[in-house]
Amino acid sequence: MERFKKKIKKAWRAVTHSQKATIGLIMILLLLLVALTAPLLARYGVDQIGAGAPFTKPCSAYPFGTDNYGRDVFSRVLIGTRVSLRIALTVAALSILIGVPLGVIAGFNGGAVGAVIMRIVDVMLCFPWIMVALCVAALIGSGEKVIIISLVFAYVPTFVRLMQGVVLSVKEEEYIAAAKVTGESRFATVMKYVLPNCLAPLIVEATLVMSFVVLDEAAISYLGVGVQPPTPSWGVMLNESSQFIWNATYLSILPGIAIAYTVLSINLFGDGLRDILDPRYMGGLREN
């Protein structure tokens, strides 16, 4: 328990020493707070037509105004936070669960199995994720499942290539040779020595992928094959407001600001983590 507490304190000290990581973490915590309390903060139902007069401009009663159906935009943007974060976390988790084992196998075992895995990855990279999304929508219909399947298809190769490269570097270290000499099994060697040394780039890549997924989800929903109305996805809101962009500009600007804030917060935290996990940075931190 004491060892775990020391690791937590060390990680917290490292984060607070990085300005980008600190700012990004604060922004993410605010975002999570909004997502958790969105049902309490939302004044009206997300699909409540006639909550106000259509095209009411932002005011005290409707902080973000109302759309063409009289729905409260503030409530819809708040609930949209939950949709975007849920999809981002799901895609990142599934991509890691599929991509990491394949990357480890390709890098540690190599040979014909590794070559086959990497060639499959090359084929997957040939297909634009937008085209994959449209094909999936044609087969199984629109919805969140289209976004998740198409983006997992798009980002699994990223984690496979990342892990293969890192594992190829790690397995040349002397402690891996020592593990083989002492009779450690391949599985034990990977779990004890390889994966712990791959965590740093994996964590950084996961944060960056989450920020990309937020943008990609908005793009797919904007095209009309992702999240479907009346679910208040930010991409759906941009799609619905595009025809009123000159008469009610706020309908497009406010969901866009929400997307920009989310992507900026995750990117700042990811960049800060990359600096923190740099051995040169940590070395300087230990000296202070």
Side-chain angles (χ1 to χ4, degrees), residues 132-133 217 227:
V132 174
E217 179 274 323
V227 177

Side-chain angles (χ1 to χ4, degrees), residues 146-161:
V146 172
I147 300 175
I148 293 172
I149 293 172
S150 58
L151 293 184
V152 168
F153 185 91
Y155 288 113
V156 161
T158 299
F159 287 102
V160 174
R161 287 197 161 195

Side-chain angles (χ1 to χ4, degrees), residues 128-144:
W129 59 267
I130 286 289
M131 187 186 76
V132 174
L134 294 174
C135 291
V136 173
L139 291 173
I140 63 175
S142 303
E144 282 189 28

Side-chain angles (χ1 to χ4, degrees), residues 215-247:
L215 287 173
D216 296 341
E217 179 274 323
I220 296 175
S221 297
Y222 181 84
L223 292 174
V225 297
V227 177
Q228 296 297 297
T231 304
S233 160
W234 293 332
V236 170
M237 296 178 70
L238 288 174
N239 185 332
E240 294 176 340
S241 63
S242 60
Q243 57 186 314
F244 311 112
I245 193 168
W246 300 114
N247 300 324

